[in-house]
Structures are given as structure tokens and as C-alpha cells.
Amino acid sequence: MRFRNIKKKNKNNKQDTLRNKQKYIYARFTDRIKAFITDMFMIYMPIMYFITYIVLSGKDDLQGSQIAPLMAVGSYAIIYALLLAKFGQTPGKKAYDLKVVDDKTGEYINFFRALFRYIVFLFTMTTILGAFLPFYRKDKKALHDLVCNTLVVKVKED
């Protein structure tokens, strides 16, 4: 009799831990894509405009330069990492109520981890596996999320 009660309690404890473990609402892949496109228009395009018309003297100089696109991507990477480290989200992610958090603690990631995540993101999007991995995972993690141990989650409204 006592053994059955103990076994029943263990079964209930396992179900409770599974419910507590699912404390995040994983972001949909389509929302992540929309947030990325929004970030491109709100952050990257002004950087490109500044470099093209303020630093250089027009599109012909941009096309002839090898360092200008690298400066633009580097500037975007620093701004992206600062925003993720400070707020856990970029303007695009904020528009779709998404946050990037550590997958174990749920806290925001630090600047260097966010910068590394962006660098790995650049490589991830060049591979077919990296681009389509979120479609096959329950937690919707892309390759750069797996490498950096991060989650993109939907912000819960209280």
C-alpha cells in the first residue's frame, strides 16, 4: 500500500516538473523572420545609407569598396549585441514581442555572447541545415541558438 502511494506521488511530481519546465512560449519561425526583416530596415539600412552617402561619396564608391560593407555589418553586429545585452530584444523583436534569453537561466545574454551569436548567425544562414533547423525542433532553436545556448521566446503578457 505504501509503495503504491509513493509511486503515485513520483508520477505526479514528474508531471508537475514537465509543466514547470515548459515555462517559455517559443517564438514562431515566421515571427523571427519578420523581426529580422524589421531590424534590417530599422538598423542596417540607416547604417548603409550613412556609409554610402556620408562616409563615401555615393553608390559607385560603395560598390568599389571592400571595407565599407564590412564596416556596415560590423556596426550592425555591435548595435545588435548591445541591444540584446541591455534589453534582450532588438526593435524588430520588440515589435513582435520576442526576447532572446539564456536557455537555462532565462536571463538576458551578455554582450560578447550576443556578438558571438550574431557571428554564428551569419554562418548559420549560409547553410541549408541552419536555415531550416527550427522547422524540425520543438523548441524552435536555430543552429546559432544551439551553439550559444539561447532561446527566442514570446514575451508573456501578465
Side-chain angles (χ1 to χ4, degrees):
M1 182 82 166
R2 282 189 67 206
F3 179 72
R4 287 188 184 177
N5 291 337
I6 291 171
K7 191 174 178 182
K8 198 182 279 187
K9 285 181 184 177
N10 284 342
K11 189 175 181 182
N12 289 339
N13 285 343
K14 286 180 185 177
Q15 290 174 350
D16 289 341
T17 25
L18 285 175
R19 283 187 206 122
N20 289 340
K21 195 173 186 178
Q22 182 69 26
K23 62 183 175 182
Y24 299 119
I25 301 170
Y26 302 120
R28 295 183 321 183
F29 189 68
T30 54
D31 289 342
R32 292 176 68 169
I33 294 294
K34 291 179 203 174
F36 174 72
I37 292 169
T38 304
D39 286 337
M40 287 290 105
F41 280 104
M42 291 184 73
I43 301 172
Y44 188 70
M45 293 307 287
I47 291 171
M48 283 300 291
Y49 181 84
F50 180 81
I51 289 173
T52 303
Y53 295 108
I54 307 295
V55 175
L56 303 173
S57 61
K59 75 172 181 76
D60 295 331
D61 286 345
L62 177 70
Q63 290 173 344
S65 175
Q66 293 179 352
I67 197 143
L70 184 63
M71 284 175 29
V73 170
S75 300
Y76 177 77
I78 290 170
I79 292 169
Y80 176 85
L82 282 171
L83 289 171
L84 282 188
K86 179 80 174 166
F87 306 109
Q89 53 191 183
T90 59
K93 286 181 177 41
K94 187 172 180 79
Y96 293 96
D97 295 326
L98 306 177
K99 283 197 181 206
V100 177
V101 295
D102 181 67
D103 66 350
K104 292 187 181 33
T105 63
E107 301 290 324
Y108 299 153
I109 58 177
N110 64 21
F111 173 78
F112 295 107
R113 193 161 158 199
L115 189 62
F116 180 66
R117 183 179 184 272
Y118 180 73
I119 292 168
V120 175
F121 167 78
L122 293 176
F123 291 112
T124 297
M125 289 303 129
T126 61
T127 64
I128 293 173
L129 171 71
F132 293 109
L133 192 61
F135 290 117
Y136 300 106
R137 295 184 53 91
K138 286 183 181 178
D139 57 3
K140 308 287 189 235
K141 282 187 173 186
L143 190 58
H144 57 281
D145 292 321
L146 289 171
V147 170
C148 296
N149 294 324
T150 58
L151 281 173
V152 181
V153 296
K154 191 89 168 151
V155 176
K156 291 183 181 178
E157 297 177 11
D158 296 329

